[in-house]
Amino acid sequence: MRATAASALGREAWARRLPLLPAFIYVFLVTQIPFVLTIYYSFFSWNLLKPGSFHFAGLENYGSIFTNESIRIAVWNTVLLTISVIGISVVLGLAVAMILNSEVFGKGLMRTLMIAPFLIMPTAGALIWKDTLLNPLFGLLPYLLTPFGLGRVDWVNQYPMVTVVTVEVWRWTPFMMLIILAGLQSQNPEVLEAARVDGANAVQSFRRITLPLVRPFIELGALLGSLFVVQTFDSIFMLTFGGPGEDTTNIPFLLYLVAFQGFSIGEASAIGVVAVIITTIVATLALRTLFSIFQIEARR
Amino acid sequence: MESTGFRSKLLKSALGWLVVFIFFFPVLWMWLEALKTEPQAASSPPTIFFVPTLEEFQTVLSGDFPPFFINSAIASILSTFLVVALGLPAAYALAIRPVKRTRDVLFFFISTRFLPFAASLVPLYLLARDLQLLDNIFALALIYTTINLPLGVWLLRSFLLEIPPDLFEAARVDGAQFRHEILRIVVPLIAPGIAATSLICLIFSWNEFFYAVNFTSSEAATAPLFLVSFISGRGLFYAKLAAAATLASLPVLLAGWIAQKQLIRGLTMGAVK
């Protein structure tokens, strides 16, 4: 009697689990097993271009990572790129969202046009910036800046990081705007009205009422955004190819160079392991925020 | 009072439109360049007034661009279909009849989305090479499925959570089978959720570049790779470049504009509605 009840319970549990399994197994096979292999390869010296070069190397790859100048530059570039892109696009996104949340003409059309940079294929956007807007000979921007004495500036080569950050900010500001706008729209306008009646000025009601309300949305946007921006590859490939020198080589681009230009499997794997550790730290923070927002939404 | 309100609205509108114009301008400029002839596109100072022509679009479309576009379509549509087919049952198991440790499973899924491609790149590349699956559009579609599946599970789950549980109780009392429960109740009710999920998957896979550039070369190359051929180009090619960039961006731009409401929910994996 008890046994059949238990087996019925077991069957019930399996019936619940069954629909989950295909997706779970698929994701497990394609992400977890390769990651274990990545860790494994990271202890070997192996260059695909040199047959027979496969041999155990211990911590050699990690040693060279931490002594190699390239990786330090790449980590620094990744941090610099991520912090400046996220910082600037959050501020701009907040500003645009506040304008779109107030009484303005053509709100819907403004929003529609504003999200276009996020939807444009990143490789296409980067090419348009590089060749038609920033090109020192035929580009529009140098032409417009000529009266200010910036007419013949070769932005991509002279200010590579500024260029990459600009293009990425252009792309991520709409993303931040969308998330922050959703936060602003969940605000009860009567509260702001009451604050105004009570004599609060615009700055006070922004700091005391609006900002605390949209803060979780800003955090969510910043953290989700940074998980994407840390992986920036497309625009660097198209704009600067990591250069000049290593000026705009970030971790994903370095990985590309090591794995697909140099075919150093062991070293690329070691870079992969380090990248995972860094990303895990950021992702843990992001997920905590995500869950707390889910709980706020659930309470509503 | 009335007039100051109007004046501030006017002022804010002007400021807002200025900012929007700056952000939208590169897109507008891309369209304008695409409608020029090559000499107009490469003139100094830049040509502002001109008679638009579709010449470059014709050149691109009658040239070698279509195969790239078709590859993008195959990879995006196939992977989106797989995401929904695998993700919907999983989301169901996590939302309607929660399994034990649901939170852990959700956490697992989403953590794989943000695992950098560095984590699995090398072994996947070696595997694809050994199985002769490099430059194979179906292999690329499988990779895109992996990228989008975690997001799909989260997003579909957030839509399933909105279905009143009573509906399922009623169906179970009627003795509906699991399969019928999914097909008769779940699918019709979360059709909008499936649409939103598909949209996000299409956007991410259509625009994806890193795997496309490393896992394909000629046969399976997708639309972003067509644009790469312009990097090394010299001479008069800006109008053609702009036309190609416009065409390559068009599907996602249109889809995103049509489904603006779903966009925000999709990008935040259902957290923000």
Side-chain angles (χ1 to χ4, degrees):
Chain A
M1 184 65 199
R2 190 185 280 172
T4 51
S7 79
L9 218 67
R11 227 176 322 165
E12 164 71 11
W14 272 106
R16 279 167 182 253
R17 244 175 257 154
L18 201 60
L20 183 66
L21 287 181
F24 189 83
I25 293 170
Y26 182 80
V27 169
F28 190 84
L29 285 180
V30 192
T31 64
Q32 305 305 296
I33 291 177
F35 181 49
V36 173
L37 284 172
T38 300
I39 298 174
Y40 173 77
Y41 289 143
S42 74
F43 296 111
F44 286 84
S45 171
W46 185 17
N47 192 310
L48 286 186
L49 300 178
K50 296 178 198 146
S53 65
F54 187 85
H55 67 265
F56 185 73
L59 292 171
E60 213 173 88
N61 291 321
Y62 291 95
S64 72
I65 277 187
F66 290 110
T67 51
N68 193 334
E69 191 71 13
S70 300
I71 185 93
R72 242 178 297 160
I73 294 172
V75 169
W76 166 244
N77 284 338
T78 308
V79 171
L80 183 67
L81 180 69
T82 308
I83 290 178
S84 28
V85 169
I86 296 301
I88 298 170
S89 55
V90 160
V91 172
L92 290 177
L94 177 64
V96 179
M98 292 201 45
I99 293 173
L100 286 186
N101 193 46
S102 60
E103 287 291 313
V104 284
F105 295 108
K107 213 186 281 188
L109 185 61
M110 275 165 105
R111 196 183 118 120
T112 302
L113 296 180
M114 191 65 204
I115 60 172
F118 186 74
L119 297 170
I120 293 293
M121 185 179 280
T123 39
L127 263 187
I128 292 300
W129 273 94
K130 181 186 172 191
D131 283 337
T132 72
L133 289 171
L134 299 177
N135 182 301
L137 287 179
F138 309 113
L140 187 66
L141 203 70
Y143 171 70
L144 293 177
L145 292 177
T146 304
F148 306 98
L150 295 166
R152 287 291 168 257
V153 175
D154 185 355
W155 292 95
V156 175
N157 284 310
Q158 285 175 270
Y159 303 99
M161 192 49 110
V162 174
T163 306
V164 174
V165 169
T166 305
V167 174
E168 288 296 311
V169 165
W170 172 71
R171 186 169 140 67
W172 288 99
T173 299
F175 174 86
M176 300 301 172
M177 182 274 289
L178 275 178
I179 294 180
I180 297 171
L181 185 59
L184 286 172
Q185 282 168 347
S186 68
Q187 175 173 274
N188 184 352
E190 282 166 23
V191 177
L192 276 186
E193 184 57 29
R196 205 178 58 82
V197 171
D198 287 348
N201 64 30
V203 177
Q204 280 171 331
S205 52
F206 174 75
R207 277 190 49 199
R208 299 278 162 78
I209 304 170
T210 308
L211 206 56
L213 181 91
V214 295
R215 226 187 87 178
F217 292 86
I218 292 176
E219 285 173 359
L220 176 70
L223 289 164
L224 278 178
S226 54
L227 286 170
F228 286 108
V229 176
V230 158
Q231 305 253 39
T232 301
F233 177 77
D234 311 19
S235 55
I236 291 176
F237 187 100
M238 299 306 263
L239 289 167
T240 64
F241 208 75
E246 293 175 322
D247 286 1
T248 52
T249 300
N250 64 350
I251 295 175
F253 201 79
L254 180 70
L255 180 79
Y256 164 78
L257 291 177
V258 172
F260 295 107
Q261 304 283 308
F263 289 99
S264 307
I265 296 303
E267 205 182 318
S269 299
I271 295 173
V273 173
V274 173
V276 169
I277 295 169
I278 296 174
T279 315
T280 307
I281 298 168
V282 181
T284 311
L285 290 171
L287 288 175
R288 209 169 283 166
T289 312
L290 206 62
F291 270 114
S292 73
I293 287 195
F294 263 111
Q295 276 151 13
I296 293 168
E297 291 271 335
R299 262 186 259 126
R300 267 223 295 262
Chain B
M1 192 65 211
E2 188 65 14
S3 81
T4 57
F6 183 76
R7 199 183 296 161
S8 96
K9 181 174 175 177
L10 209 60
L11 212 70
K12 271 186 195 163
S13 303
L15 181 68
W17 275 104
L18 180 71
V19 175
V20 170
F21 180 75
I22 292 171
F23 271 90
F24 186 67
F25 186 78
V27 182
L28 181 68
W29 190 246
M30 171 173 81
W31 292 347
L32 290 176
E33 293 278 277
L35 294 170
K36 292 175 183 174
T37 60
E38 290 298 358
Q40 285 168 345
S43 70
S44 180
T47 313
I48 308 289
F49 299 102
F50 60 97
V51 182
T53 166
L54 291 174
E55 206 178 292
E56 291 307 323
F57 283 104
Q58 281 165 352
T59 316
V60 169
L61 283 173
S62 61
D64 42 9
F65 180 61
F68 292 85
F69 198 87
I70 292 167
N71 279 334
S72 275
I74 295 174
S76 310
I77 293 170
L78 185 64
S79 69
T80 302
F81 175 79
L82 285 173
V83 166
V84 174
L86 290 169
L88 189 54
Y92 174 89
L94 293 169
I96 307 296
R97 297 171 158 186
V99 292
K100 279 183 196 161
R101 302 165 65 93
T102 292
R103 203 183 138 122
D104 291 345
V105 176
L106 279 170
F107 203 89
F108 164 75
F109 271 118
I110 206 62
S111 69
T112 64
R113 175 63 180 86
F114 292 116
L115 207 61
F117 35 59
S120 48
L121 176 72
V122 166
L124 285 182
Y125 177 80
L126 295 173
L127 181 71
R129 189 193 62 158
D130 293 345
L131 295 176
Q132 313 268 309
L133 284 175
L134 286 180
D135 206 15
N136 180 315
I137 195 65
F138 298 104
L140 196 63
L142 285 181
I143 290 178
Y144 291 172
T145 306
T146 316
I147 296 178
N148 287 327
L149 188 54
L151 215 150
V153 170
W154 270 60
L155 201 47
L156 288 167
R157 175 178 171 269
S158 89
F159 281 98
L160 282 171
L161 288 175
E162 287 172 3
I163 300 179
D166 305 356
L167 280 177
F168 295 99
E169 291 307 322
R172 269 173 227 153
V173 170
D174 290 349
Q177 295 288 312
F178 169 66
R179 194 155 41 92
H180 293 146
E181 192 173 309
I182 282 223
L183 289 178
R184 282 217 326 260
I185 305 176
V186 175
V187 172
L189 276 176
I190 67 150
I194 294 178
T197 309
S198 306
L199 172 83
I200 293 297
C201 294
L202 283 173
I203 291 181
F204 278 120
S205 38
W206 187 273
N207 286 346
E208 204 283 332
F209 181 62
F210 187 81
Y211 284 101
V213 79
N214 290 319
F215 280 60
T216 72
S217 48
S218 54
E219 287 294 305
T222 54
L225 288 182
F226 182 74
L227 299 174
V228 172
S229 60
F230 287 98
I231 297 184
S232 49
R234 286 263 170 265
L236 297 177
F237 63 92
Y238 297 130
K240 191 180 174 202
L241 177 161
T246 302
L247 288 171
S249 299
L250 201 61
V252 164
L253 188 63
L254 287 181
W257 272 349
I258 291 167
Q260 278 187 49
K261 290 254 154 57
Q262 278 77 32
L263 197 61
I264 170 80
R265 184 160 178 176
L267 290 173
T268 57
M269 286 159 294
V272 177
K273 291 181 184 97

